[in-house]
């Protein structure tokens, strides 16, 4: 894989099922924050996956996001090669009754192996293989911290590149 470009506009990718447990709503909220701050020219948001999500449909109508639908497994590598940042937003339940799953994420392994900047929830699933040297962690569910981390990546691409080298 070629290294991420890390130039404006940063290409931000969400790949996964369009489900609440996978963090699609929080990703879309960060996209809205980028719009509200007039920063959509600095970031390009992409969603790959399947499922019905009314919020995604609304944001697509506004032109704030590129929705690629479901893509074949053998096309994921080509898609990721065009991106800079890959988000991992699967929730892990910390107590009974909360939204979330657990276990080792195949998506996380694929994203880390692709050499993209990783931006993940700070939870037990992502901490199995990643740490602060290889990933940007944000508190699980915090859209404001998700947006702040994207701005941090854009502001210090040398740090982002250093974390990519640690994740590979």
């Amino acid at each position: 894989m070629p290294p991420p470009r890390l130039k404006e506009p940063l290409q931000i990718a969400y790949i996964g099922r369009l489900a609440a447990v996978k963090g699609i709503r929080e990703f879309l909220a960060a996209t809205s924050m980028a719009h509200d701050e007039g920063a959509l020219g600095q970031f390009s948001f992409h969603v790959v996956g399947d499922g019905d999500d009314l919020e995604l449909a609304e944001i697509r109508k506004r032109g704030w996001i590129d929705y690629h639908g479901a893509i074949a497994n053998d096309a994921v590598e080509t898609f990721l090669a065009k991106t800079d940042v890959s988000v991992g937003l699967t929730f892990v339940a910390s107590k009974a009754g909360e939204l979330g799953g657990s276990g080792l994420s195949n998506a996380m392994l694929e994203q880390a192996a692709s050499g993209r900047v990783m931006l993940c929830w700070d939870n037990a699933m992502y901490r199995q293989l990643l740490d602060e040297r290889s990933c940007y962690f944000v508190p699980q569910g915090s859209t404001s911290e998700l947006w702040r981390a994207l701005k941090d990546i854009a502001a210090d691409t040398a740090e982002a590149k250093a974390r990519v080298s640690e994740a590979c």
Side-chain angles (χ1 to χ4, degrees):
M1 290 283 267
R5 297 174 318 101
L6 293 171
K7 296 184 192 273
E8 284 189 17
L10 282 184
Q11 305 297 311
I12 315 301
Y14 170 101
I15 302 174
R17 247 181 326 117
L18 306 182
V21 72
K22 297 293 185 179
I24 185 63
R25 299 278 163 79
E26 290 73 15
F27 183 74
L28 297 175
T31 302
S32 294
M33 291 176 180
H35 170 267
D36 294 347
E37 289 187 23
L40 285 179
Q42 296 172 312
F43 301 89
S44 180
F45 294 90
H46 301 268
V47 172
V48 170
D50 60 350
D52 296 321
D53 191 283
L54 296 176
E55 288 180 42
L56 174 61
E58 184 59 34
I59 287 178
R60 281 183 63 206
K61 280 190 234 174
R62 295 176 185 161
W64 300 352
I65 202 157
D66 289 322
Y67 176 58
H68 303 272
I71 62 175
N73 286 341
D74 60 358
V76 173
E77 183 178 345
T78 301
F79 174 78
L80 280 171
K82 299 174 187 172
T83 66
D84 298 305
V85 179
S86 188
V87 299
L89 304 177
T90 298
F91 283 86
V92 171
S94 59
K95 58 185 174 186
E98 285 187 342
L99 179 69
S102 62
L104 185 62
S105 167
N106 288 334
M108 174 188 58
L109 294 171
E110 291 166 351
Q111 292 164 342
S114 73
R116 305 302 99 188
V117 177
M118 297 287 297
L119 173 55
C120 302
W121 291 146
D122 190 357
N123 64 35
M125 183 176 73
Y126 295 107
R127 289 236 177 227
Q128 289 177 74
L129 294 175
L130 302 168
D131 61 26
E132 286 82 5
R133 294 170 299 149
S134 59
C135 177
Y136 289 83
F137 284 114
V138 296
Q140 182 170 275
S142 176
T143 55
S144 60
E145 289 297 312
L146 183 62
W147 172 229
R148 182 204 47 76
L150 288 169
K151 293 188 290 186
D152 289 349
I153 292 166
D156 190 351
T157 58
E159 174 62 23
K161 287 176 185 175
R163 292 188 194 204
V164 167
S165 352
E166 289 291 327
C168 297

